[in-house]
Amino acid sequence: MEKQPSGIKGILVIALALALFIGFSAPVQAGKFKKEYKMTVVVTPAFYWGQGALKFVELVKKKTNGQINIKPYWRSSLLKGAQLKSAQMVANGVIDCAMESTINISPVFPECNIFSLPFFINNYENLDKMEYGRTGKAIFAALEKKGVVGLAWAENGFRQLTNSKKIIRRPKDLRGLKFRVVGSPIFIDIFRKLGADPVNMNWADAVPAFQQGVVDGQENPVSVLIPVKIWQYHKYATFWNYLVDPVVFYWNKKQWNSFPKDIQKAIREAAIEAGRFEKALCRAGLDGEKSINILKNEFNYTMKIPDPVKYLKDKGMTITFLSDQDREAFIKATRPLYDKWVPKIGEDIYKKALADMGK
Ligand code: X2X
């Protein structure tokens, strides 16, 4: 017959069992960190941007010895597709962090429209000078003021125009064509100025709209054109580099400030490294050998599509590059928008950007 422990002995047995239970069931950091940190991302892992998000998750886990676990929620699912709400939701703590385009956070941070001024930045060199110069610093300061901490830059890329109707070389070619644009007002302004008919649409609704031919065209970087197989809907692309959307890793400020310094350092380093990887994916084949070599040498990664322009041509697309003269026509047509948008962005940021680019 089994004997029940009694008296002091019984208490000791129970205490021991309890100690073992607590010891085994709870890690050292019990209660310190959440089981899962939610991250919003507008695209999916089929995109370079999504690959960058996965890299960030992996590196954060590794660099914090498994203490910080981030779960990405794709297709802006935490926002029911409303990609323009990410900054607001991270700032108020409903979502912990994000890897989001400057376009999508521009309703909260108008400073980010500096990247959407038409024909302002034009090349990677200028973009890098801005991100790592005074402009980037000022933007991260603006983020902090409204409750989010910017961790590092990543990229979507210079945005190109595609459509199902015709070759576009001059502003007049856009006349009357219906383009899906992101719901950020500067895009509506640009396309109206060019005589086109822009329609605001979340990314979640955009691909069905291409499929059904509800719109004639759209604008996005090759990092989006390739995964959505844009050639299935649009035969024509104009590589006009008219503006760019960097991507930012950012975190709710209150929560960030509650993290120990070593955890902050680990997460920031993870964002910088994931950003460098993701940027190289987005630029591969568009900046000579530079990004392809970064991927090879630093990440032991062989780029599957080393020449995106050739890739799109092989898929049957007609790709148009602008002559200097055609480009001038676009610049002339869109320049009046600076009068409206520079004050909204802030003269200060605009001047910083010019100084960073050495203009
Ligand atoms: O909605 C878009 O076009 C996209 C995916 O590029 C952004 O999130 C800005």
Side-chain angles (χ1 to χ4, degrees):
M1 219 217 282
E2 211 175 307
K3 220 176 142 201
Q4 296 293 329
S6 61
I8 303 255
K9 205 172 146 204
I11 291 168
L12 280 177
V13 169
I14 290 166
L16 184 67
L18 210 62
L20 282 174
F21 174 74
I22 291 170
F24 283 123
S25 66
V28 192
Q29 301 284 6
K32 198 163 170 191
F33 301 117
K34 292 209 274 190
K35 222 174 118 208
E36 169 193 305
Y37 290 89
K38 290 185 168 62
M39 170 164 73
T40 176
V41 186
V42 64
V43 291
T44 70
F47 295 67
Y48 300 148
W49 182 346
Q51 290 296 310
L54 287 178
K55 189 88 173 167
F56 178 57
V57 170
E58 172 203 316
L59 288 171
V60 167
K61 188 168 182 165
K62 195 168 123 199
K63 287 177 192 283
T64 64
N65 300 316
Q67 294 181 89
I68 302 293
N69 289 292
I70 299 170
K71 181 164 182 207
Y73 287 79
W74 312 110
R75 295 192 180 86
S76 304
S77 58
L78 295 172
L79 306 163
K80 297 197 169 63
Q83 65 204 69
L84 299 169
K85 291 221 171 108
S86 74
Q88 188 190 329
M89 294 315 232
V90 174
N92 67 21
V94 172
I95 300 172
D96 301 300
C97 60
M99 182 185 178
E100 197 52 272
S101 157
T102 46
I103 296 171
N104 295 332
I105 65 173
S106 65
V108 178
F109 303 108
E111 296 85 354
C112 285
N113 284 306
I114 192 76
F115 301 105
S116 299
L117 274 182
F119 303 98
F120 182 53
I121 301 176
N122 304 311
N123 58 55
Y124 292 126
E125 209 188 342
N126 281 339
L127 176 62
D128 288 341
K129 282 181 185 162
M130 282 170 62
E131 287 177 359
Y132 303 110
R134 285 165 265 194
T135 319
K137 219 182 206 164
I139 288 174
F140 275 24
L143 261 56
E144 279 226 46
K145 260 196 204 143
K146 288 189 185 160
V148 303
V149 175
L151 304 178
W153 294 100
E155 201 150 292
N156 195 17
F158 280 95
R159 298 174 76 91
Q160 319 299 3
L161 195 63
T162 69
N163 84 93
S164 61
K165 301 287 185 205
K166 60 180 175 190
I167 291 176
I168 292 177
R169 278 185 212 289
R170 289 291 183 107
K172 67 172 169 43
D173 301 327
L174 279 91
R175 253 178 236 157
L177 292 186
K178 203 175 218 176
F179 286 93
R180 175 269 167 177
V181 294
V182 201
S184 169
I186 194 167
F187 286 84
I188 293 280
D189 280 1
I190 296 168
F191 279 79
R192 288 222 176 108
K193 204 75 193 163
L194 293 171
D197 179 12
V199 196
N200 270 344
M201 225 177 262
N202 282 328
W203 178 244
D205 305 317
V207 179
F210 307 155
Q211 276 163 354
Q212 292 155 21
V214 175
V215 291
D216 303 311
Q218 63 88 48
E219 50 78 58
N220 252 299
V222 290
S223 58
V224 170
L225 304 183
I226 291 174
V228 300
K229 300 187 169 66
I230 201 74
W231 53 88
Q232 294 184 339
Y233 324 112
H234 301 159
K235 182 172 163 51
Y236 305 100
T238 301
F239 274 53
W240 61 346
N241 283 13
Y242 82 129
L243 54 83
V244 61
D245 52 328
V247 164
V248 193
F249 290 99
Y250 61 92
W251 208 288
N252 171 270
K253 186 177 169 184
K254 207 166 153 208
Q255 190 178 66
W256 181 260
N257 288 340
S258 77
F259 285 153
K261 286 277 170 294
D262 62 326
I263 293 289
Q264 288 181 351
K265 185 168 175 276
I267 299 174
R268 203 182 278 279
E269 281 173 7
I272 291 169
E273 195 176 330
R276 185 161 170 85
F277 172 70
E278 193 267 356
K279 263 190 182 187
L281 289 177
C282 289
R283 294 183 184 189
L286 300 170
D287 64 352
E289 290 292 306
K290 193 175 166 194
S291 287
I292 289 179
N293 284 335
I294 289 176
L295 291 170
K296 213 187 288 168
N297 301 334
E298 295 177 30
F299 297 96
N300 193 24
Y301 185 96
T302 306
M303 194 60 198
K304 284 166 209 84
I305 302 174
D307 186 346
V309 174
K310 181 177 181 300
Y311 186 87
L312 293 172
K313 278 185 186 160
D314 289 346
K315 295 290 180 190
M317 290 189 85
T318 302
I319 313 272
T320 303
F321 287 88
L322 299 183
S323 68
D324 288 348
Q325 205 186 5
D326 294 339
R327 194 176 180 76
E328 274 309 314
F330 277 108
I331 292 172
K332 202 167 158 231
T334 52
R335 199 52 49 138
L337 289 173
Y338 283 40
D339 296 340
K340 173 176 174 188
W341 281 93
V342 169
K344 284 182 193 280
I345 292 164
E347 287 286 347
D348 180 46
I349 296 270
Y350 181 65
K351 283 198 186 121
K352 284 189 165 84
L354 287 174
D356 282 340
M357 291 190 280
K359 285 188 185 171

